[in-house]
Structure formats: structure tokens, C-alpha cells
């Protein structure tokens, strides 16, 4: 796949996560809707993180001429989603909550903020 296809696939899967994740953080936990939307959120987050691994970094230093600092958030997501799922399945609500808050703020808010830096696609979209 080419860069643009991967980038748009990433955007189409990550943007809903901003809203679903924010909603899930705000509503009552443990309800049926929380569980169902949580599964959708986790699948989308895992998928979008995997897609980003195929998108080369064009800003800043790279490793293997491909991975940049922002890819660390992809690996964070790939680790956090399954461990958060396992935690809740084991009844460890505290660990699940901690991981899901880390995931939302680390992978969506902080990484999303980095995408607005000069030289990145979204910076060009929003700031010309």
C-alpha cells in the first residue's frame, strides 16, 4: 500500500477512537454499552496501531530508515490493548482502568498532538 492509503486508513480508524474513547472514559463503567463500545474501541485502536507500523516516519530521526519516535506510541498501543483486555477478564478493574487511561492520553492525545507538528500531514491540513 502507498503512503496516502495507509495514512487515510489510519485516520479513518483513529478519529472514531477519539470520540469513542472519550465517551467511554466519561460514562458509567461496566454497563453493556460500555463493554460493547469498549470492544469496538480496542479493535480499532489495535488495527490503527498496526497500520501505523507500515507508515514511514518523515519527520525527525529514524531507526532502520522507517520508524520514528511517534512509532513508540504504536508499540504502546499494541502492548496496552491486549493487557488491558486480559486485566478486565481477570477482574482487575484497577489495572484495566489505568491502562485504558494511559492508552487514551498517550496514544490519542499526546501522539495526536505530535501529528500537528510542522512537516507532518495534519499540520499542513490545519495550518497550511
Amino acid at each position: 500500500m502507498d503512503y496516502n492509503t495507509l495514512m487515510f486508513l489510519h485516520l479513518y480508524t483513529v478519529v472514531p477512537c477519539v470520540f469513542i474513547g472519550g465517551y467511554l472514559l466519561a460514562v458509567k463503567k461496566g454497563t453493556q454499552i460500555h463493554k460493547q463500545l469498549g470492544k469496538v474501541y480496542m479493535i480499532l485502536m489495535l488495527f490503527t496501531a498496526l497500520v501505523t507500523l507500515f507508515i514511514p516516519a518523515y519527520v525527525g530521526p529514524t531507526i532502520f530508515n522507517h520508524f520514528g519516535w511517534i512509532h513508540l506510541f504504536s508499540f504502546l498501543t499494541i502492548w496496552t490493548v491486549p493487557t488491558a483486555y486480559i486485566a478486565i477478564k481477570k477482574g482487575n478493574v484497577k489495572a484495566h482502568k489505568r491502562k485504558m487511561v494511559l492508552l487514551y492520553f498517550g496514544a490519542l492525545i499526546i501522539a495526536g498532538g505530535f501529528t500537528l507538528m510542522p512537516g507532518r500531514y495534519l499540520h499542513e491540513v490545519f495550518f497550511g
Side-chain angles (χ1 to χ4, degrees), residues 17-33:
C17 290
V18 174
F19 298 102
I20 295 170
Y23 174 79
L24 290 171
L25 289 175
V27 299
K28 181 175 169 54
K29 311 302 182 265
T31 63
Q32 196 60 34
I33 191 72

Side-chain angles (χ1 to χ4, degrees), residues 2 4 6 8 18-20 25 31 35 45 54-56 62-63 68 73 76 79 82 91 97 100 105 120 125-126:
D2 70 336
N4 286 332
L6 290 167
F8 282 112
V18 174
F19 298 102
I20 295 170
L25 289 175
T31 63
K35 292 175 183 179
M45 286 296 291
F54 295 96
I55 301 173
T62 60
I63 299 170
F73 292 103
L76 170 74
W79 174 79
K97 180 179 179 179
M100 296 313 292
F105 287 99
R120 299 189 61 70
V125 169
F126 290 115

